[in-house]
Amino acid sequence: MRVRGALPSLRPAEQRVAEAVLADPAGVSERSITSLARLCRTSETTVLRFCRALGLAGYPELRIALARAAQGEEDDRASGTASDGVIVQTDSMAEMVAKITYADQRSIADTGAAVDVVALQAAVDALAKARRVDVYGVGASALVAQELHGRLHRLGLASGVWADPHAALSSAAGLVSGDVAVGISHTGTTIDVIDALRVARTRGATTIAITNFDRAPIVGQSDIVLTTAARETTFRTGSMSSRVSQLVLVDCLFTGVAMRSYDRSVSALDAARSVLRARHTERHERQTGVGRPGLVPTGGLTVQA
């Protein structure tokens, strides 16, 4: 997870080391630093810089960490629950389903394991006290932004969601101190989301980023950063697995805010469910005639008795 998270911010030579690590963690754990440098067409100094970029003291620590990670995946394979996620042309339908399911399951588990609880608490505190919340997202992340907005709105928070970049900038310009802006971007490089957070921050709002890479450009415009740990498969680069892991953090934010005012939140959610239930019942009665005196349902039609 740390290697994937650091990948976009690494220099080209360091990225070659990262790609070798991700391709064969068990094999790299058994190599000497000289052998790895030769494999990646770089120097031992570059390998050491890569280790330090991950927050490790040196190459021995990297080998130990990779050996542990590789052993964990090997244990999963032995129990029949693991897959490398690489979909090939010869895969059966069952193998394809298994690989996709495994990738999504690992995205959820890895995101949960990697979540910064201190940052999550700070984000929950900011949202719970906010006068107003803006949520920004583009493309697939716009769907997640809509979900976060809908959940906060049901709790009674003043929330808006903006997928159009001009509308997002206009809304961000109206934020003030005490407001919160949430930007959602899997890569952390979506310029429309970054720009909206930048404007919101200059207006004094607290800015929160949800991204898969903790060194991405979006981090520079964010007071609080929440990272996901999405895994990519052959035909699903950053798509469903990214949304699944983002929704894990949305769920955590929503539940954390709801817990801050437990009774009020339960009451607000019950009121929303009650209204929706009444509407469904009323609609059913109009369609079938059930519960309305003098009307008799006949197949797909309702006629006067």
Side-chain angles (χ1 to χ4, degrees):
M1 287 186 291
R2 290 165 71 178
V3 174
R4 291 191 194 98
L7 192 57
S9 64
L10 298 175
R11 300 170 183 172
E14 293 168 359
Q15 287 183 346
R16 292 199 297 273
V17 179
E19 287 161 2
V21 166
L22 292 174
D24 185 14
V28 170
S29 71
E30 296 175 356
R31 286 180 177 270
S32 67
I33 188 171
T34 303
S35 172
L36 180 59
R38 187 179 301 116
L39 174 70
C40 300
R41 307 183 312 281
T42 188
S43 65
E44 295 180 13
T45 302
T46 297
V47 176
L48 286 174
R49 278 202 306 265
F50 167 74
C51 294
R52 295 192 183 106
L54 298 182
L56 301 173
Y59 189 64
E61 288 79 5
L62 176 66
R63 293 181 64 184
I64 292 170
L66 289 177
R68 288 173 178 166
Q71 184 59 54
E73 293 195 355
E74 185 60 36
D75 291 343
D76 284 347
R77 289 191 182 91
S79 65
T81 60
S83 163
D84 58 12
V86 178
I87 297 172
V88 297
Q89 190 174 8
T90 56
D91 282 343
S92 67
M93 190 62 67
E95 289 171 329
M96 178 268 288
V97 170
K99 288 181 177 181
I100 289 175
T101 303
Y102 176 73
D104 287 348
Q105 287 174 340
R106 284 304 302 263
S107 291
I108 293 172
D110 289 348
T111 296
V115 68
D116 184 338
V117 178
V118 174
L120 179 63
Q121 184 65 63
V124 167
D125 291 343
L127 290 170
K129 296 183 294 186
R131 180 191 70 95
R132 169 179 154 190
V133 179
D134 266 10
V135 189
Y136 313 121
V138 175
S141 294
L143 302 175
V144 180
Q146 182 67 49
E147 181 68 18
L148 177 57
H149 155 70
R151 294 199 185 195
L152 295 177
H153 192 68
R154 284 198 292 274
L155 292 177
L157 273 68
S159 172
V161 59
W162 312 96
D164 178 83
H166 291 175
L169 288 172
S170 297
S171 183
L175 297 180
V176 297
S177 178
D179 294 336
V180 172
V182 182
I184 304 175
S185 170
H186 171 69
T187 62
T189 60
T190 309
I191 192 64
D192 296 329
V193 175
I194 295 172
D195 280 349
L197 285 185
R198 176 181 52 77
V199 172
R201 200 178 196 190
T202 62
R203 300 295 296 172
T206 298
T207 53
I208 301 172
I210 296 178
T211 181
N212 204 66
F213 304 102
D214 59 7
R215 300 184 186 189
I218 196 174
V219 174
Q221 300 299 333
S222 306
D223 299 309
I224 303 169
V225 179
L226 300 174
T227 52
T228 57
R231 292 189 167 220
E232 299 175 348
T233 57
T234 310
F235 299 113
R236 307 168 72 240
T237 347
S239 57
M240 187 59 74
S241 60
S242 71
R243 273 175 277 171
V244 167
S245 53
Q246 287 169 350
L247 286 170
V248 170
L249 294 182
V250 166
D251 217 3
C252 291
L253 289 170
F254 164 75
T255 305
V257 172
M259 290 173 64
R260 289 286 299 268
S261 302
Y262 189 89
D263 292 337
R264 188 183 69 184
S265 298
V266 170
S267 177
L269 294 173
D270 285 345
R273 277 192 290 264
S274 177
V275 169
L276 293 174
R277 191 181 302 114
R279 174 164 175 75
H280 291 324
T281 301
E282 180 184 348
R283 188 174 185 180
H284 176 71
E285 290 177 352
R286 283 203 305 266
Q287 291 174 340
T288 64
V290 175
R292 297 176 65 186
L295 294 179
V296 178
T298 58
L301 302 173
T302 300
V303 299
Q304 190 73 32

